[in-house]
Amino acid sequence: MEKHIKLFYLKSCPYCRQAFGFIDELKQQEAYRNLEMELIEEREQSEIANRYDYYYVPTFYVDEVKMHEGAVTREQVEAVFAKALSLE
């Protein structure tokens, strides 16, 4: 059973747009194709965002543990996905 991924982002954030590009690329791979992610737009869903401890977007949480915050590389997004698939 995969772990829950939350992604906090802002529509206006260039790093978030880049992260979505990496997500789309990685989801082409069979291993990641069916991963589900809860997307939380910080301004539109501020009541949820305010409950979490982060300053920069994009921020990824896996099972309520912060995995990455701020500008992200493809490898870092893949590490988040791998953690979500791990059975640890």
Side-chain angles (χ1 to χ4, degrees), residues 43-55:
R43 288 195 184 107
E44 294 174 3
Q45 296 168 280
S46 59
E47 71 288 345
I48 297 171
N50 289 339
R51 289 186 234 145
Y52 288 82
D53 180 29
Y54 70 95
Y55 296 99

Side-chain angles (χ1 to χ4, degrees), residues 3 6 8 10 16 18 20 37 41 47 51 55:
K3 298 174 181 174
K6 283 185 179 148
F8 294 87
L10 287 169
C16 297
Q18 185 177 43
F20 280 116
M37 189 176 315
E41 209 290 344
E47 71 288 345
R51 289 186 234 145
Y55 296 99

